[in-house]
Each structure stands twice: as structure tokens, then as C-alpha cells.
Amino acid sequence: MVSGPYASEITGASDPGRGERGQGTVEWVGLLAVVALVVVALGVAIGRVPGAELARAVGSKLLCAAALAEHCGDEPVLIAAYGEEVGRLVRDHMPSLAFERGSRALPVDFRRCRSSACGDGPMRGLVDRTDAGLPVTAFVHVIDCRAEAGAVAGAMGEMARDGRPAPDCSGDRAGNLYLQFWLYYVDSATMRGVPVAGPAGYHRDDWESVQVRIGEDGQTDERASSHHGYNYDVVAANAASDAGLTGLRALAEQIGARPRNGWGPRRGLLLVSGGSHAGNVGGPLEFDRVVLAPRVHLVPLEAVAAEAGEYRFAVAPPWRKRVWLDPEAAGTD
């Protein structure tokens, strides 16, 4: 149950069925849709053959014209990166963001901003940009462990030949589709305002995430990164997870004090704590500002990560974390 400012807007934004897609005649939209998807599919199919990028670009423009993309520049790019089905699921499953009262930092594209001068935004209201005009941004990483994804084993073999490690789709992971939304903040101040201890809780660069798991049966779960672990609701039993105490965390889950590995039914919402930016999917939080899901700019992270060698971070970026390959990892290192 979502309460507080903008509750109705948050609830509506997390419901994919409540958006308006398209204007114009059914025939025109239908024709453009067919042509656009064929062109995008061609661009994906021909891969590195000359003209592939042009095919993708043309397809994206046609998708925008057909109003199949709620936000031109987002959904077409996601479809080109992940295919039509997964691309749309990514857009539809991005949660809305609610920030704790008093906070100013917003998640941005690290390639454009790495200081609070461009990363801070308004303290109240419905926001989608920083004070410097940069869009609120989330990076996307997809791990598809479904059998119909095109033979996972074949994809793993291709990765091995390219020298890239394959994702872990073993055990309970098999059959699931994982959508990871990564949020970059220019810094973290866990103990902001605490005398003496304040500086000890500060570091530059802060990567947080909210993750969605879609099961074979359609069950959709969600969890959020919080310090050294993953949480769902704000409860005292999360203390061991936050501290990275594996044994105590497992005990809390065994007695039912918190959901296993931090997963719980999807709510389409991420509650962001001030200072540390630790997340929860639900629980008590006083917030004065919200970023609605459709207003978050989404960027596929796989290609960005492959070209991010020139960047140095004070903490490990997503592609250096265990959860990048193991979608059920319990720690955030």
C-alpha cells in the first residue's frame, strides 16, 4: 500500500496498462508498427554487417512515429538491445522512485556527471531532472535464464569463446528473467550530520540497484540494494543483511523474519534513503519528492560497461559485482 504525496501518481505509473500508446488511425499505426519492427529485427539480425546501425536507427524512428514507444529514445533503444518482448518488459517494470525527505541527490548518467553540482535536484515535488537539467537515469542489465531465450547453453558457449564469463542460470535461477536497474549517485554519505563519524561514512561514487525477477509462472518479485545486502520492507531483521553478516541474515530468513534473499512481490516502487541511498521496496519513509517510472531515462548497461574501462570508481561498478553474473547473489560486493 503506497501512501503519502503523489501516491496515486506512483500507483498509476507502475501499471503498464494505464499509459496511452499512440494517436492516429488504427490502420496507420498498425502499418508503421509492422514496418518498424521488421526494420529493428533486421538491424539485430545482421549484427555487425555494415548498415546494421542505420537499420536500427530507422526502426527506432518508425517506432516513435507509430507511438509504440512511450518515450522516444528509450523504448526503441531497449528493444534494439534486448528484443521486442524484453525491451518492453524493461520499460514497464522500471519502478517509481520516492526519496527520503531532505535529500537532494538524483541518479544520473556517470558519463555526464560526477559531482553534486550537476547531480543534485529539487527537494520537493514531482521531478525528472537535476538542477543542472540532466535527466534522472537508470542503467539496465538483463539476465535471461528462460529456456526459450534461444538456448542458454548456446549463448554461454559463445560467451566462453569470446572470453566473457557467462551468467549463472543454474538451480532455481533457471526459467527466470532478471531485470536489474542500476542507479548511479555521485557520492554517498551514510552518516551525514553525525558528529565525528560523518566523514567516515562518505565516499565518492555510489551504485545502488533495484532488481526484478519474473518467474516462469508469471510471478514477479522485487528487491533493492541496501548497504551490503538486499532488502524488501524496512524491518529490523534487515540489520544483518545491511551489515553483510551472512549467518545472521540466513537465520532471519529461516525463521521468516525477512523474505529469502530480500525478494518479495513486486510493488513497482523504490524507496530511497537519504545520504546512503540504500533502498527498500516498501516500508515507512517520509518523502517529499518522487520520480515517476515513465520519467526515468533507461540506458542498456551492457554496451556501456564494455567501453567503460577509462572510468575509475571509488566503489565497484555493477559489472564488477557478483550479482552481474549471479542474479541471486546475496551480497552487493
Side-chain angles (χ1 to χ4, degrees), residues 228-250:
H228 296 285
Y230 295 95
N231 294 341
Y232 185 65
D233 279 322
V234 180
V235 294
N238 289 331
S241 176
D242 286 343
L245 303 176
T246 305
L248 291 179
R249 188 204 73 236

Side-chain angles (χ1 to χ4, degrees), residues 33-247:
V34 171
V35 175
L37 293 176
V38 167
V39 174
V40 170
L42 176 63
V44 173
I46 61 181
R48 298 178 182 175
V49 175
E53 293 304 319
L54 176 60
R56 292 192 185 97
V58 171
S60 294
K61 295 298 183 184
L62 287 172
L63 282 169
C64 288
L68 290 180
E70 262 187 296
H71 308 283
C72 291
D74 248 20
E75 194 164 324
V77 173
L78 297 173
I79 290 174
Y82 304 119
E84 181 185 1
E85 180 210 6
V86 175
R88 293 192 187 285
L89 287 172
V90 168
R91 180 69 266 178
D92 289 342
H93 285 75
M94 173 67 211
S96 293
L97 313 176
F99 292 87
E100 186 173 17
R101 180 172 296 168
S103 62
R104 291 199 60 195
L106 289 169
V108 293
D109 187 333
F110 68 87
R111 297 169 299 177
R112 301 182 63 185
C113 174
R114 299 190 70 179
S115 75
S116 57
C118 53
D120 283 354
M123 295 181 66
R124 294 180 178 83
L126 294 173
V127 301
D128 59 13
R129 289 183 176 273
T130 68
D131 290 337
L134 297 180
V136 171
T137 299
F139 293 95
V140 181
H141 176 50
V142 173
I143 300 178
D144 198 339
C145 291
R146 300 172 300 175
E148 66 270 21
V152 172
M156 289 183 174
E158 182 181 344
M159 286 183 175
R161 288 191 294 274
D162 290 348
R164 294 174 294 154
D168 184 356
C169 286
S170 63
D172 293 341
R173 303 168 187 80
N176 296 331
L177 173 65
Y178 295 89
L179 311 177
Q180 298 179 353
F181 299 93
W182 289 93
L183 308 174
Y184 171 81
Y185 300 90
V186 299
D187 60 20
S188 175
T190 304
M191 301 180 185
R192 179 175 291 160
V194 178
V196 181
Y202 173 86
H203 62 77
R204 294 188 61 226
D205 307 314
D206 189 27
W207 286 99
E208 301 292 347
S209 70
V210 56
Q211 302 168 12
V212 174
R213 178 180 65 191
I214 305 175
E216 289 182 288
D217 59 357
Q219 171 66 36
T220 305
D221 297 315
E222 190 175 2
R223 69 175 183 172
S225 64
S226 181
H227 303 293
H228 296 285
Y230 295 95
N231 294 341
Y232 185 65
D233 279 322
V234 180
V235 294
N238 289 331
S241 176
D242 286 343
L245 303 176
T246 305

